[in-house]
Amino acid sequence: MEDPLALSNIRQVATSIAPDEILGTLTLSAEELGYGQVATLSGIFTLPDKAPVAGLPVKIEVKTSTDLTWREVGQITTAPDGSISTPILLGKNQQLRLRSEGTWERLEGLSAIKSVKIKPGISISTVIAADKSQTFSISGIVSPKISTKINLEEFISGKWKVIQETTSDSNGNYAFTTGSSISGFARFRTSVVNNETLGAATSATAVVVIRE
């Protein structure tokens, strides 16, 4: 017949030597950033009873929507209260997570996944004035310097309307040739369409005086 006391002792020993479960959290100061803007990444690692896990090496990992595996971009050690905090700079849309490796005394710890959108910078340049019968160039650069879809928009009848589309080259350069049949002040802007790599963004407005 099994001894209840012996079984209880076995359970206690098994519990005492079982690896600790690690719980991780992840927060970001912003989940949409302009290109070149630094965010603050923070997190806390604890045991299930909320006791902090100090001195724990934590990996910062990222993955794009098309990546099959996570990639480590940094490592930081938890403070006495189990927390971490570090600046992070991303060049394109990414998913982030925090991970601590498992050992014989503790299980792997994983935070929830956070997604970050990166809004590109987009410049615009054109002429100051042009005749109604004259075409002119509107050009600019997208940052980061990548090939992506660009729209040319004109402010017509009280709203912005896409009048042309193009794709920037591998250095981020784009150019349009356009004109206007109405004299006065013509307003143009360019925009990046939201995609897997970058978030949506719009340039400043360029005003061209259209002469008779």
Side-chain angles (χ1 to χ4, degrees), residues 152-188:
L152 174 62
E153 303 176 33
E154 184 177 3
F155 196 73
I156 302 171
S157 301
K159 61 182 180 181
W160 288 101
K161 180 181 178 181
V162 176
I163 59 173
Q164 289 187 45
E165 297 178 359
T166 192
T167 300
S168 59
D169 64 21
S170 59
N171 291 316
N173 298 296
Y174 70 86
F176 296 95
T177 299
T178 190
S180 180
S181 60
I182 302 174
S183 60
F185 296 95
R187 288 184 282 176
F188 300 93

PDB file of all heavy atoms in Angstrom, residues 152-188:
ATOM      1  N   LEU A 152       1.999  60.775 -56.339  1.00  0.00           N
ATOM      2  CA  LEU A 152       1.974  62.226 -56.485  1.00  0.00           C
ATOM      3  C   LEU A 152       0.527  62.665 -56.343  1.00  0.00           C
ATOM      4  O   LEU A 152      -0.356  62.162 -57.046  1.00  0.00           O
ATOM      5  CB  LEU A 152       2.527  62.648 -57.849  1.00  0.00           C
ATOM      6  CG  LEU A 152       2.415  64.148 -58.175  1.00  0.00           C
ATOM      7  CD1 LEU A 152       3.214  64.994 -57.191  1.00  0.00           C
ATOM      8  CD2 LEU A 152       2.871  64.414 -59.614  1.00  0.00           C
ATOM      9  N   GLU A 153       0.287  63.608 -55.435  1.00  0.00           N
ATOM     10  CA  GLU A 153      -1.071  64.086 -55.188  1.00  0.00           C
ATOM     11  C   GLU A 153      -1.161  65.581 -55.479  1.00  0.00           C
ATOM     12  O   GLU A 153      -0.214  66.334 -55.242  1.00  0.00           O
ATOM     13  CB  GLU A 153      -1.460  63.830 -53.725  1.00  0.00           C
ATOM     14  CG  GLU A 153      -1.366  62.368 -53.304  1.00  0.00           C
ATOM     15  CD  GLU A 153      -1.662  62.186 -51.830  1.00  0.00           C
ATOM     16  OE1 GLU A 153      -2.484  62.946 -51.271  1.00  0.00           O
ATOM     17  OE2 GLU A 153      -1.068  61.283 -51.212  1.00  0.00           O
ATOM     18  N   GLU A 154      -2.315  65.997 -55.991  1.00  0.00           N
ATOM     19  CA  GLU A 154      -2.589  67.414 -56.218  1.00  0.00           C
ATOM     20  C   GLU A 154      -3.882  67.783 -55.481  1.00  0.00           C
ATOM     21  O   GLU A 154      -4.827  66.988 -55.436  1.00  0.00           O
ATOM     22  CB  GLU A 154      -2.731  67.722 -57.704  1.00  0.00           C
ATOM     23  CG  GLU A 154      -2.919  69.215 -57.992  1.00  0.00           C
ATOM     24  CD  GLU A 154      -2.982  69.537 -59.476  1.00  0.00           C
ATOM     25  OE1 GLU A 154      -2.934  68.592 -60.302  1.00  0.00           O
ATOM     26  OE2 GLU A 154      -3.092  70.740 -59.807  1.00  0.00           O
ATOM     27  N   PHE A 155      -3.894  68.983 -54.904  1.00  0.00           N
ATOM     28  CA  PHE A 155      -5.079  69.452 -54.177  1.00  0.00           C
ATOM     29  C   PHE A 155      -6.054  70.042 -55.189  1.00  0.00           C
ATOM     30  O   PHE A 155      -5.830  71.116 -55.747  1.00  0.00           O
ATOM     31  CB  PHE A 155      -4.678  70.492 -53.136  1.00  0.00           C
ATOM     32  CG  PHE A 155      -5.742  70.751 -52.114  1.00  0.00           C
ATOM     33  CD1 PHE A 155      -6.026  69.820 -51.131  1.00  0.00           C
ATOM     34  CD2 PHE A 155      -6.458  71.938 -52.138  1.00  0.00           C
ATOM     35  CE1 PHE A 155      -7.010  70.063 -50.174  1.00  0.00           C
ATOM     36  CE2 PHE A 155      -7.448  72.186 -51.198  1.00  0.00           C
ATOM     37  CZ  PHE A 155      -7.720  71.246 -50.214  1.00  0.00           C
ATOM     38  N   ILE A 156      -7.127  69.297 -55.434  1.00  0.00           N
ATOM     39  CA  ILE A 156      -8.092  69.674 -56.474  1.00  0.00           C
ATOM     40  C   ILE A 156      -9.494  69.683 -55.870  1.00  0.00           C
ATOM     41  O   ILE A 156      -9.914  68.711 -55.237  1.00  0.00           O
ATOM     42  CB  ILE A 156      -8.050  68.683 -57.659  1.00  0.00           C
ATOM     43  CG1 ILE A 156      -6.641  68.625 -58.269  1.00  0.00           C
ATOM     44  CG2 ILE A 156      -9.070  69.060 -58.722  1.00  0.00           C
ATOM     45  CD1 ILE A 156      -6.466  67.520 -59.303  1.00  0.00           C
ATOM     46  N   SER A 157     -10.210  70.802 -56.072  1.00  0.00           N
ATOM     47  CA  SER A 157     -11.608  70.924 -55.613  1.00  0.00           C
ATOM     48  C   SER A 157     -11.762  70.582 -54.132  1.00  0.00           C
ATOM     49  O   SER A 157     -12.679  69.863 -53.728  1.00  0.00           O
ATOM     50  CB  SER A 157     -12.525  70.036 -56.458  1.00  0.00           C
ATOM     51  OG  SER A 157     -12.458  70.397 -57.823  1.00  0.00           O
ATOM     52  N   GLY A 158     -10.823  71.058 -53.348  1.00  0.00           N
ATOM     53  CA  GLY A 158     -10.944  70.920 -51.897  1.00  0.00           C
ATOM     54  C   GLY A 158     -10.449  69.619 -51.307  1.00  0.00           C
ATOM     55  O   GLY A 158     -10.625  69.385 -50.101  1.00  0.00           O
ATOM     56  N   LYS A 159      -9.824  68.751 -52.119  1.00  0.00           N
ATOM     57  CA  LYS A 159      -9.305  67.511 -51.541  1.00  0.00           C
ATOM     58  C   LYS A 159      -8.091  67.026 -52.334  1.00  0.00           C
ATOM     59  O   LYS A 159      -7.877  67.410 -53.490  1.00  0.00           O
ATOM     60  CB  LYS A 159     -10.382  66.425 -51.528  1.00  0.00           C
ATOM     61  CG  LYS A 159     -10.910  66.037 -52.894  1.00  0.00           C
ATOM     62  CD  LYS A 159     -12.005  64.978 -52.769  1.00  0.00           C
ATOM     63  CE  LYS A 159     -12.540  64.577 -54.137  1.00  0.00           C
ATOM     64  NZ  LYS A 159     -13.616  63.558 -54.027  1.00  0.00           N
ATOM     65  N   TRP A 160      -7.286  66.186 -51.666  1.00  0.00           N
ATOM     66  CA  TRP A 160      -6.091  65.647 -52.303  1.00  0.00           C
ATOM     67  C   TRP A 160      -6.479  64.477 -53.204  1.00  0.00           C
ATOM     68  O   TRP A 160      -7.255  63.598 -52.810  1.00  0.00           O
ATOM     69  CB  TRP A 160      -5.078  65.185 -51.258  1.00  0.00           C
ATOM     70  CG  TRP A 160      -4.426  66.324 -50.537  1.00  0.00           C
ATOM     71  CD1 TRP A 160      -4.727  66.793 -49.296  1.00  0.00           C
ATOM     72  CD2 TRP A 160      -3.369  67.136 -51.044  1.00  0.00           C
ATOM     73  NE1 TRP A 160      -3.929  67.862 -48.989  1.00  0.00           N
ATOM     74  CE2 TRP A 160      -3.080  68.097 -50.037  1.00  0.00           C
ATOM     75  CE3 TRP A 160      -2.635  67.170 -52.225  1.00  0.00           C
ATOM     76  CZ2 TRP A 160      -2.084  69.058 -50.183  1.00  0.00           C
ATOM     77  CZ3 TRP A 160      -1.646  68.128 -52.373  1.00  0.00           C
ATOM     78  CH2 TRP A 160      -1.379  69.050 -51.369  1.00  0.00           C
ATOM     79  N   LYS A 161      -5.920  64.476 -54.421  1.00  0.00           N
ATOM     80  CA  LYS A 161      -6.210  63.434 -55.402  1.00  0.00           C
ATOM     81  C   LYS A 161      -4.898  62.888 -55.962  1.00  0.00           C
ATOM     82  O   LYS A 161      -4.011  63.654 -56.337  1.00  0.00           O
ATOM     83  CB  LYS A 161      -7.056  64.012 -56.538  1.00  0.00           C
ATOM     84  CG  LYS A 161      -7.404  62.999 -57.622  1.00  0.00           C
ATOM     85  CD  LYS A 161      -8.227  63.642 -58.734  1.00  0.00           C
ATOM     86  CE  LYS A 161      -8.546  62.654 -59.841  1.00  0.00           C
ATOM     87  NZ  LYS A 161      -9.320  63.268 -60.947  1.00  0.00           N
ATOM     88  N   VAL A 162      -4.776  61.570 -55.999  1.00  0.00           N
ATOM     89  CA  VAL A 162      -3.587  60.943 -56.588  1.00  0.00           C
ATOM     90  C   VAL A 162      -3.656  61.104 -58.105  1.00  0.00           C
ATOM     91  O   VAL A 162      -4.630  60.688 -58.742  1.00  0.00           O
ATOM     92  CB  VAL A 162      -3.507  59.447 -56.219  1.00  0.00           C
ATOM     93  CG1 VAL A 162      -2.321  58.787 -56.927  1.00  0.00           C
ATOM     94  CG2 VAL A 162      -3.381  59.275 -54.709  1.00  0.00           C
ATOM     95  N   ILE A 163      -2.619  61.718 -58.677  1.00  0.00           N
ATOM     96  CA  ILE A 163      -2.609  61.960 -60.120  1.00  0.00           C
ATOM     97  C   ILE A 163      -1.556  61.123 -60.852  1.00  0.00           C
ATOM     98  O   ILE A 163      -1.631  60.958 -62.071  1.00  0.00           O
ATOM     99  CB  ILE A 163      -2.415  63.458 -60.443  1.00  0.00           C
ATOM    100  CG1 ILE A 163      -1.097  63.985 -59.846  1.00  0.00           C
ATOM    101  CG2 ILE A 163      -3.598  64.272 -59.928  1.00  0.00           C
ATOM    102  CD1 ILE A 163      -0.760  65.412 -60.283  1.00  0.00           C
ATOM    103  N   GLN A 164      -0.552  60.637 -60.107  1.00  0.00           N
ATOM    104  CA  GLN A 164       0.466  59.776 -60.716  1.00  0.00           C
ATOM    105  C   GLN A 164       1.014  58.825 -59.656  1.00  0.00           C
ATOM    106  O   GLN A 164       0.921  59.089 -58.455  1.00  0.00           O
ATOM    107  CB  GLN A 164       1.627  60.598 -61.305  1.00  0.00           C
ATOM    108  CG  GLN A 164       1.297  61.391 -62.548  1.00  0.00           C
ATOM    109  CD  GLN A 164       2.548  62.038 -63.151  1.00  0.00           C
ATOM    110  OE1 GLN A 164       3.599  61.405 -63.277  1.00  0.00           O
ATOM    111  NE2 GLN A 164       2.421  63.309 -63.525  1.00  0.00           N
ATOM    112  N   GLU A 165       1.614  57.740 -60.135  1.00  0.00           N
ATOM    113  CA  GLU A 165       2.282  56.783 -59.263  1.00  0.00           C
ATOM    114  C   GLU A 165       3.645  56.442 -59.849  1.00  0.00           C
ATOM    115  O   GLU A 165       3.818  56.443 -61.074  1.00  0.00           O
ATOM    116  CB  GLU A 165       1.472  55.491 -59.101  1.00  0.00           C
ATOM    117  CG  GLU A 165       0.122  55.656 -58.437  1.00  0.00           C
ATOM    118  CD  GLU A 165      -0.636  54.338 -58.366  1.00  0.00           C
ATOM    119  OE1 GLU A 165      -0.097  53.316 -58.865  1.00  0.00           O
ATOM    120  OE2 GLU A 165      -1.750  54.323 -57.823  1.00  0.00           O
ATOM    121  N   THR A 166       4.597  56.163 -58.992  1.00  0.00           N
ATOM    122  CA  THR A 166       5.908  55.698 -59.444  1.00  0.00           C
ATOM    123  C   THR A 166       6.526  54.872 -58.329  1.00  0.00           C
ATOM    124  O   THR A 166       5.918  54.680 -57.268  1.00  0.00           O
ATOM    125  CB  THR A 166       6.823  56.875 -59.842  1.00  0.00           C
ATOM    126  OG1 THR A 166       7.976  56.365 -60.529  1.00  0.00           O
ATOM    127  CG2 THR A 166       7.286  57.658 -58.621  1.00  0.00           C
ATOM    128  N   THR A 167       7.741  54.399 -58.567  1.00  0.00           N
ATOM    129  CA  THR A 167       8.488  53.646 -57.557  1.00  0.00           C
ATOM    130  C   THR A 167       9.859  54.273 -57.406  1.00  0.00           C
ATOM    131  O   THR A 167      10.542  54.541 -58.410  1.00  0.00           O
ATOM    132  CB  THR A 167       8.635  52.164 -57.964  1.00  0.00           C
ATOM    133  OG1 THR A 167       7.330  51.596 -58.109  1.00  0.00           O
ATOM    134  CG2 THR A 167       9.403  51.387 -56.912  1.00  0.00           C
ATOM    135  N   SER A 168      10.267  54.541 -56.189  1.00  0.00           N
ATOM    136  CA  SER A 168      11.599  55.101 -55.962  1.00  0.00           C
ATOM    137  C   SER A 168      12.660  54.058 -56.311  1.00  0.00           C
ATOM    138  O   SER A 168      12.409  52.853 -56.278  1.00  0.00           O
ATOM    139  CB  SER A 168      11.757  55.535 -54.502  1.00  0.00           C
ATOM    140  OG  SER A 168      11.559  54.436 -53.626  1.00  0.00           O
ATOM    141  N   ASP A 169      13.858  54.536 -56.648  1.00  0.00           N
ATOM    142  CA  ASP A 169      14.934  53.593 -56.954  1.00  0.00           C
ATOM    143  C   ASP A 169      15.551  53.059 -55.660  1.00  0.00           C
ATOM    144  O   ASP A 169      15.094  53.382 -54.555  1.00  0.00           O
ATOM    145  CB  ASP A 169      15.982  54.241 -57.869  1.00  0.00           C
ATOM    146  CG  ASP A 169      16.725  55.414 -57.226  1.00  0.00           C
ATOM    147  OD1 ASP A 169      16.747  55.512 -55.975  1.00  0.00           O
ATOM    148  OD2 ASP A 169      17.304  56.227 -57.969  1.00  0.00           O
ATOM    149  N   SER A 170      16.579  52.257 -55.767  1.00  0.00           N
ATOM    150  CA  SER A 170      17.173  51.605 -54.597  1.00  0.00           C
ATOM    151  C   SER A 170      17.838  52.597 -53.647  1.00  0.00           C
ATOM    152  O   SER A 170      18.137  52.252 -52.501  1.00  0.00           O
ATOM    153  CB  SER A 170      18.190  50.554 -55.040  1.00  0.00           C
ATOM    154  OG  SER A 170      19.214  51.144 -55.826  1.00  0.00           O
ATOM    155  N   ASN A 171      18.063  53.815 -54.110  1.00  0.00           N
ATOM    156  CA  ASN A 171      18.624  54.865 -53.250  1.00  0.00           C
ATOM    157  C   ASN A 171      17.546  55.795 -52.698  1.00  0.00           C
ATOM    158  O   ASN A 171      17.859  56.828 -52.096  1.00  0.00           O
ATOM    159  CB  ASN A 171      19.663  55.688 -54.017  1.00  0.00           C
ATOM    160  CG  ASN A 171      20.919  54.897 -54.319  1.00  0.00           C
ATOM    161  OD1 ASN A 171      21.441  54.190 -53.456  1.00  0.00           O
ATOM    162  ND2 ASN A 171      21.412  55.000 -55.545  1.00  0.00           N
ATOM    163  N   GLY A 172      16.275  55.461 -52.958  1.00  0.00           N
ATOM    164  CA  GLY A 172      15.175  56.261 -52.436  1.00  0.00           C
ATOM    165  C   GLY A 172      14.774  57.438 -53.291  1.00  0.00           C
ATOM    166  O   GLY A 172      13.873  58.195 -52.926  1.00  0.00           O
ATOM    167  N   ASN A 173      15.409  57.633 -54.444  1.00  0.00           N
ATOM    168  CA  ASN A 173      15.098  58.775 -55.306  1.00  0.00           C
ATOM    169  C   ASN A 173      13.828  58.514 -56.131  1.00  0.00           C
ATOM    170  O   ASN A 173      13.608  57.400 -56.608  1.00  0.00           O
ATOM    171  CB  ASN A 173      16.254  59.040 -56.272  1.00  0.00           C
ATOM    172  CG  ASN A 173      17.537  59.387 -55.548  1.00  0.00           C
ATOM    173  OD1 ASN A 173      17.619  60.406 -54.876  1.00  0.00           O
ATOM    174  ND2 ASN A 173      18.536  58.522 -55.677  1.00  0.00           N
ATOM    175  N   TYR A 174      13.032  59.553 -56.298  1.00  0.00           N
ATOM    176  CA  TYR A 174      11.852  59.455 -57.161  1.00  0.00           C
ATOM    177  C   TYR A 174      11.697  60.754 -57.936  1.00  0.00           C
ATOM    178  O   TYR A 174      12.226  61.805 -57.561  1.00  0.00           O
ATOM    179  CB  TYR A 174      10.589  59.181 -56.335  1.00  0.00           C
ATOM    180  CG  TYR A 174      10.136  60.354 -55.492  1.00  0.00           C
ATOM    181  CD1 TYR A 174       9.303  61.333 -56.030  1.00  0.00           C
ATOM    182  CD2 TYR A 174      10.551  60.508 -54.172  1.00  0.00           C
ATOM    183  CE1 TYR A 174       8.885  62.428 -55.283  1.00  0.00           C
ATOM    184  CE2 TYR A 174      10.149  61.590 -53.413  1.00  0.00           C
ATOM    185  CZ  TYR A 174       9.323  62.545 -53.962  1.00  0.00           C
ATOM    186  OH  TYR A 174       8.925  63.633 -53.231  1.00  0.00           O
ATOM    187  N   ALA A 175      10.938  60.693 -59.039  1.00  0.00           N
ATOM    188  CA  ALA A 175      10.684  61.895 -59.841  1.00  0.00           C
ATOM    189  C   ALA A 175       9.403  61.727 -60.642  1.00  0.00           C
ATOM    190  O   ALA A 175       9.081  60.623 -61.107  1.00  0.00           O
ATOM    191  CB  ALA A 175      11.856  62.180 -60.778  1.00  0.00           C
ATOM    192  N   PHE A 176       8.680  62.840 -60.783  1.00  0.00           N
ATOM    193  CA  PHE A 176       7.473  62.897 -61.606  1.00  0.00           C
ATOM    194  C   PHE A 176       7.612  64.063 -62.579  1.00  0.00           C
ATOM    195  O   PHE A 176       8.290  65.059 -62.277  1.00  0.00           O
ATOM    196  CB  PHE A 176       6.224  63.147 -60.758  1.00  0.00           C
ATOM    197  CG  PHE A 176       5.895  62.060 -59.774  1.00  0.00           C
ATOM    198  CD1 PHE A 176       6.324  62.144 -58.458  1.00  0.00           C
ATOM    199  CD2 PHE A 176       5.126  60.958 -60.161  1.00  0.00           C
ATOM    200  CE1 PHE A 176       5.998  61.158 -57.535  1.00  0.00           C
ATOM    201  CE2 PHE A 176       4.805  59.971 -59.249  1.00  0.00           C
ATOM    202  CZ  PHE A 176       5.243  60.067 -57.934  1.00  0.00           C
ATOM    203  N   THR A 177       6.948  63.973 -63.715  1.00  0.00           N
ATOM    204  CA  THR A 177       6.798  65.096 -64.633  1.00  0.00           C
ATOM    205  C   THR A 177       5.314  65.396 -64.742  1.00  0.00           C
ATOM    206  O   THR A 177       4.517  64.507 -65.065  1.00  0.00           O
ATOM    207  CB  THR A 177       7.377  64.776 -66.020  1.00  0.00           C
ATOM    208  OG1 THR A 177       8.778  64.500 -65.896  1.00  0.00           O
ATOM    209  CG2 THR A 177       7.179  65.957 -66.966  1.00  0.00           C
ATOM    210  N   THR A 178       4.943  66.633 -64.464  1.00  0.00           N
ATOM    211  CA  THR A 178       3.523  66.982 -64.447  1.00  0.00           C
ATOM    212  C   THR A 178       3.345  68.423 -64.911  1.00  0.00           C
ATOM    213  O   THR A 178       4.301  69.090 -65.319  1.00  0.00           O
ATOM    214  CB  THR A 178       2.927  66.779 -63.036  1.00  0.00           C
ATOM    215  OG1 THR A 178       1.510  66.911 -63.100  1.00  0.00           O
ATOM    216  CG2 THR A 178       3.502  67.778 -62.036  1.00  0.00           C
ATOM    217  N   GLY A 179       2.149  68.924 -64.820  1.00  0.00           N
ATOM    218  CA  GLY A 179       1.834  70.299 -65.181  1.00  0.00           C
ATOM    219  C   GLY A 179       0.449  70.631 -64.660  1.00  0.00           C
ATOM    220  O   GLY A 179      -0.177  69.836 -63.956  1.00  0.00           O
ATOM    221  N   SER A 180      -0.020  71.831 -65.001  1.00  0.00           N
ATOM    222  CA  SER A 180      -1.359  72.228 -64.572  1.00  0.00           C
ATOM    223  C   SER A 180      -1.988  73.100 -65.658  1.00  0.00           C
ATOM    224  O   SER A 180      -1.320  73.931 -66.265  1.00  0.00           O
ATOM    225  CB  SER A 180      -1.302  73.003 -63.251  1.00  0.00           C
ATOM    226  OG  SER A 180      -2.602  73.385 -62.839  1.00  0.00           O
ATOM    227  N   SER A 181      -3.286  72.876 -65.876  1.00  0.00           N
ATOM    228  CA  SER A 181      -3.995  73.628 -66.907  1.00  0.00           C
ATOM    229  C   SER A 181      -4.766  74.816 -66.337  1.00  0.00           C
ATOM    230  O   SER A 181      -5.434  75.536 -67.064  1.00  0.00           O
ATOM    231  CB  SER A 181      -4.972  72.699 -67.647  1.00  0.00           C
ATOM    232  OG  SER A 181      -5.919  72.159 -66.728  1.00  0.00           O
ATOM    233  N   ILE A 182      -4.659  75.012 -65.032  1.00  0.00           N
ATOM    234  CA  ILE A 182      -5.389  76.097 -64.370  1.00  0.00           C
ATOM    235  C   ILE A 182      -4.384  77.078 -63.771  1.00  0.00           C
ATOM    236  O   ILE A 182      -3.479  76.687 -63.031  1.00  0.00           O
ATOM    237  CB  ILE A 182      -6.307  75.539 -63.258  1.00  0.00           C
ATOM    238  CG1 ILE A 182      -7.295  74.535 -63.850  1.00  0.00           C
ATOM    239  CG2 ILE A 182      -7.050  76.667 -62.554  1.00  0.00           C
ATOM    240  CD1 ILE A 182      -8.150  73.825 -62.830  1.00  0.00           C
ATOM    241  N   SER A 183      -4.528  78.346 -64.109  1.00  0.00           N
ATOM    242  CA  SER A 183      -3.609  79.347 -63.556  1.00  0.00           C
ATOM    243  C   SER A 183      -3.914  79.596 -62.087  1.00  0.00           C
ATOM    244  O   SER A 183      -5.032  79.383 -61.621  1.00  0.00           O
ATOM    245  CB  SER A 183      -3.722  80.656 -64.343  1.00  0.00           C
ATOM    246  OG  SER A 183      -5.053  81.158 -64.259  1.00  0.00           O
ATOM    247  N   GLY A 184      -2.896  80.049 -61.376  1.00  0.00           N
ATOM    248  CA  GLY A 184      -3.055  80.301 -59.945  1.00  0.00           C
ATOM    249  C   GLY A 184      -2.031  79.509 -59.161  1.00  0.00           C
ATOM    250  O   GLY A 184      -0.918  79.250 -59.624  1.00  0.00           O
ATOM    251  N   PHE A 185      -2.410  79.126 -57.944  1.00  0.00           N
ATOM    252  CA  PHE A 185      -1.504  78.384 -57.071  1.00  0.00           C
ATOM    253  C   PHE A 185      -1.877  76.900 -57.100  1.00  0.00           C
ATOM    254  O   PHE A 185      -2.965  76.510 -56.662  1.00  0.00           O
ATOM    255  CB  PHE A 185      -1.577  78.909 -55.640  1.00  0.00           C
ATOM    256  CG  PHE A 185      -1.116  80.329 -55.495  1.00  0.00           C
ATOM    257  CD1 PHE A 185      -2.035  81.375 -55.512  1.00  0.00           C
ATOM    258  CD2 PHE A 185       0.227  80.624 -55.362  1.00  0.00           C
ATOM    259  CE1 PHE A 185      -1.613  82.693 -55.382  1.00  0.00           C
ATOM    260  CE2 PHE A 185       0.659  81.935 -55.230  1.00  0.00           C
ATOM    261  CZ  PHE A 185      -0.256  82.977 -55.245  1.00  0.00           C
ATOM    262  N   ALA A 186      -0.966  76.084 -57.608  1.00  0.00           N
ATOM    263  CA  ALA A 186      -1.169  74.630 -57.639  1.00  0.00           C
ATOM    264  C   ALA A 186      -0.408  74.022 -56.459  1.00  0.00           C
ATOM    265  O   ALA A 186       0.745  74.359 -56.198  1.00  0.00           O
ATOM    266  CB  ALA A 186      -0.667  74.046 -58.949  1.00  0.00           C
ATOM    267  N   ARG A 187      -1.067  73.129 -55.751  1.00  0.00           N
ATOM    268  CA  ARG A 187      -0.454  72.497 -54.581  1.00  0.00           C
ATOM    269  C   ARG A 187      -0.252  71.008 -54.829  1.00  0.00           C
ATOM    270  O   ARG A 187      -1.173  70.320 -55.265  1.00  0.00           O
ATOM    271  CB  ARG A 187      -1.327  72.716 -53.340  1.00  0.00           C
ATOM    272  CG  ARG A 187      -1.282  74.148 -52.830  1.00  0.00           C
ATOM    273  CD  ARG A 187      -2.066  74.308 -51.543  1.00  0.00           C
ATOM    274  NE  ARG A 187      -3.501  74.365 -51.804  1.00  0.00           N
ATOM    275  CZ  ARG A 187      -4.420  74.429 -50.847  1.00  0.00           C
ATOM    276  NH1 ARG A 187      -4.050  74.407 -49.562  1.00  0.00           N
ATOM    277  NH2 ARG A 187      -5.714  74.502 -51.164  1.00  0.00           N
ATOM    278  N   PHE A 188       0.962  70.549 -54.524  1.00  0.00           N
ATOM    279  CA  PHE A 188       1.324  69.155 -54.731  1.00  0.00           C
ATOM    280  C   PHE A 188       1.967  68.587 -53.460  1.00  0.00           C
ATOM    281  O   PHE A 188       2.563  69.317 -52.661  1.00  0.00           O
ATOM    282  CB  PHE A 188       2.327  69.008 -55.890  1.00  0.00           C
ATOM    283  CG  PHE A 188       1.813  69.510 -57.211  1.00  0.00           C
ATOM    284  CD1 PHE A 188       2.065  70.820 -57.605  1.00  0.00           C
ATOM    285  CD2 PHE A 188       1.092  68.677 -58.052  1.00  0.00           C
ATOM    286  CE1 PHE A 188       1.596  71.295 -58.830  1.00  0.00           C
ATOM    287  CE2 PHE A 188       0.619  69.150 -59.279  1.00  0.00           C
ATOM    288  CZ  PHE A 188       0.877  70.455 -59.666  1.00  0.00           C
TER     289      PHE A 188
END
